[in-house]
Amino acid sequence: MNRRFALKATVAAGLLAGLTACAPADQGSDIVDIAAANGNFTTLVAAVQAAGLEDTLRSPGPFTVFAPTDAAFAALPAGTVDSLLLPENKDTLVSILTYHVVPGSVTSDQLLDQKLSVATVQGQNVNIDATGGKYGATVRVNDANVTSADILATNGVIHVIDKVLLPK
């Protein structure tokens, strides 16, 4: 029992540290404003704008966004991002981006110690594993790691991930 409490306390402290490091001082920002102000999501923000999803992600929601960093987009094969941003590929871009969004506001404490399959706005499910890993607490969405959780916005929550999720 004490071991489980210690694990949960460690996870909570790590998530709080991530929130403190990534959340802007302005507590009244929506998902798009937070991503734009952060500096690690320039590709994501550009993609959201190119897909015509900016107004949606500024709406009341709430939404849970698994936000890939610029480094995650850079890890895609060369030319992929440039190709996705072309007007003729808007439908594909919308599909990929909405695969990163879950309806509702889901924080990490609601996921702890669970394995779930959750429907995305795109229509397909993502697999969330928050049961911890061999070397400590981890949360994974499909094959991406959550590197920072619970960045709270006025219209939902952002969880930073290290890979771009691609629908099947």
Side-chain angles (χ1 to χ4, degrees):
M1 187 74 151
N2 285 338
R3 193 170 173 192
R4 188 176 191 93
F5 175 78
L7 176 62
K8 286 184 178 182
T10 302
V11 170
L15 294 173
L16 182 59
L19 174 61
T20 303
C22 291
D26 176 14
Q27 296 295 325
S29 298
D30 63 36
I31 289 169
V32 176
D33 287 338
I34 290 172
N38 182 284
N40 290 316
F41 304 107
T42 57
T43 306
L44 177 61
V45 171
V48 164
Q49 292 169 339
L53 295 172
E54 185 174 0
D55 287 343
T56 301
L57 290 176
R58 288 186 183 280
S59 71
F63 305 105
T64 298
V65 176
F66 298 106
T69 61
D70 290 339
F73 278 102
L76 292 171
T80 301
V81 173
D82 291 334
S83 176
L84 287 170
L85 294 176
L86 295 173
E88 60 266 24
N89 294 326
K90 182 178 177 179
D91 290 343
T92 302
L93 182 60
V94 168
S95 178
I96 290 170
L97 292 175
T98 56
Y99 188 62
H100 288 79
V101 180
V102 173
S105 184
V106 182
T107 57
S108 60
D109 62 326
Q110 296 170 304
L111 301 172
L112 197 59
D113 294 330
Q114 296 184 63
K115 285 187 179 182
L116 305 166
S117 180
V118 181
T120 66
V121 171
Q122 184 261 2
Q124 294 183 31
N125 287 8
V126 291
N127 296 310
I128 299 172
D129 183 350
T131 59
K134 183 176 178 182
Y135 301 106
T138 61
V139 177
R140 295 181 57 82
V141 181
N142 290 353
D143 62 344
N145 294 303
V146 174
T147 59
S148 184
D150 298 334
I151 301 171
L152 302 177
T154 57
N155 61 343
V157 62
I158 301 169
H159 302 291
V160 181
I161 56 175
D162 63 357
K163 286 186 177 180
V164 176
L165 305 174
L166 298 173
K168 296 175 178 148

